[in-house]
């Protein structure tokens, strides 16, 4: 199973901007490419590695490892360890269905970063903050901590833990996500999204009014 993108606001970038290009280059030397999404009928969301392995067994070709790139415009960029199918003719196709029915993904080939088929250990996503926001940085740090927690509690494909162990971190993460959604909206700051009122509680969870907290930023 993959680590899915952090926020539903994330989507495939519309273009490879300078900051996305630099981010991709920090992950792997190959340039990013747009790959069409053509889901296999039996493929499962967030299970790209077994999906591609099954495709290779049926139709030949090979598995191509790398990273799919997601962007919350103006907020952060995220790279998800991913695999697509390389057909016998060399075409790259993403055979895994996307939750938001994406028609294409931005993919960075990285043949050196392979999936651990023996123990099914997952590689956490890579993330880069675009907005200069301490709560965004905390959100991304919490995401890494939660991913590490899940891997510590994993044996093969089974994850077993007491929910109370994760609750403080998960609840804080939800507060931070609510704050980011309120502050930046779906497509980033400055879009036509509902804003927090000056006298509303600040969505960061501080307990202060917005005008006394992040409303001053």
């Amino acid at each position: 199973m993959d680590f899915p993108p952090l926020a539903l606001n994330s989507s495939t970038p519309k273009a490879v901007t300078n900051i996305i290009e630099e981010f991709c280059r920090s992950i792997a030397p190959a340039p990013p490419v747009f790959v069409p999404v053509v889901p296999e009928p039996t493929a499962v969301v967030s299970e790209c590695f077994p999906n591609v392995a099954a495709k290779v067994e049926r139709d030949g070709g090979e598995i191509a490892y790398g990273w799919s790139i997601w962007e919350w415009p103006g907020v952060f960029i995220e790279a998800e360890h991913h695999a697509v199918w390389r057909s016998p003719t060399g075409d790259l196709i993403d055979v895994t269905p996307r939750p938001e029915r994406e028609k294409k993904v931005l993919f960075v080939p990285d043949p050196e970063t392979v999936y651990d088929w023996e123990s099914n250990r997952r590689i956490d996503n890579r993330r880069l903050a675009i907005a200069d926001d301490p709560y965004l940085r905390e959100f991304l740090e919490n995401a890494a901590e939660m991913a590490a927690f899940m891997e510590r509690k994993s044996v093969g494909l089974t994850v077993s833990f007491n929910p109370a162990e994760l609750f403080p971190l998960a609840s804080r993460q939800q507060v931070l996500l609510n704050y980011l959604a309120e502050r930046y909206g779906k497509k980033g700051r400055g879009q036509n999204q509902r804003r927090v009122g000056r006298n509303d509680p600040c969505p960061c969870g501080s307990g202060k009014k917005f005008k006394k907290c992040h409303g001053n930023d």
Side-chain angles (χ1 to χ4, degrees):
M1 182 176 181
D2 310 346
F3 283 113
L6 283 178
L8 293 178
N9 293 335
S10 299
S11 59
T12 296
K14 292 186 178 358
V16 180
T17 60
N18 288 338
I19 192 169
I20 290 176
E21 187 174 16
E22 291 176 10
F23 176 62
C24 293
R25 196 161 46 236
S26 72
I27 297 171
V33 293
F34 285 103
V35 174
V37 178
V38 184
E40 286 290 293
T42 58
V44 179
V45 174
S46 297
E47 296 288 353
C48 67
F49 303 111
N51 289 340
V52 178
K55 177 68 172 176
V56 170
E57 185 175 353
R58 284 192 302 270
D59 299 324
E62 61 182 6
I63 188 168
Y65 292 104
W67 304 83
S68 58
I69 306 301
W70 302 93
E71 178 189 29
W72 186 346
V75 187
F76 69 89
I77 312 170
E78 185 169 14
E80 173 192 7
H81 189 215
H82 193 55
V84 300
W85 180 57
R86 181 177 284 112
S87 74
T89 59
D91 297 319
L92 294 178
I93 300 174
D94 192 347
V95 300
T96 300
R98 312 307 301 187
E100 296 301 309
R101 299 183 179 179
E102 303 271 348
K103 299 299 182 184
K104 63 181 179 179
V105 295
L106 186 60
F107 182 72
V108 182
D110 185 6
E112 301 300 318
T113 308
V114 303
Y115 182 68
D116 182 355
W117 293 97
E118 183 174 350
S119 61
N120 295 292
R121 305 298 291 181
R122 295 173 295 175
I123 297 174
D124 190 17
N125 297 2
R126 311 283 183 83
R127 308 170 184 95
L128 175 68
I130 299 175
D132 183 13
D133 186 327
Y135 291 100
L136 171 61
R137 290 193 291 273
E138 182 185 352
F139 177 73
L140 299 182
E141 290 166 1
N142 278 5
E145 190 173 343
M146 291 176 70
F149 173 89
M150 298 297 285
E151 282 305 296
R152 288 196 302 271
K153 299 296 182 178
S154 299
V155 177
L157 296 175
T158 302
V159 181
S160 179
F161 63 93
N162 182 345
E165 296 179 82
L166 190 60
F167 180 77
L169 191 61
S171 59
R172 176 59 177 167
Q173 193 72 339
Q174 186 59 55
V175 168
L176 291 167
L177 180 57
N178 291 344
Y179 156 73
L180 294 173
E182 289 285 359
R183 180 168 187 180
Y184 298 103
K186 181 172 177 57
K187 295 186 178 180
R189 199 171 196 174
Q191 302 297 316
N192 293 324
Q193 300 288 333
R194 184 181 70 82
R195 309 307 297 170
V196 183
R198 285 177 49 77
N199 290 309
D200 291 342
C202 187
C204 76
S206 67
K208 300 178 182 178
K209 291 184 178 181
F210 183 62
K211 66 183 180 183
K212 296 291 186 180
C213 193
H214 278 82
N216 286 325
D217 291 358

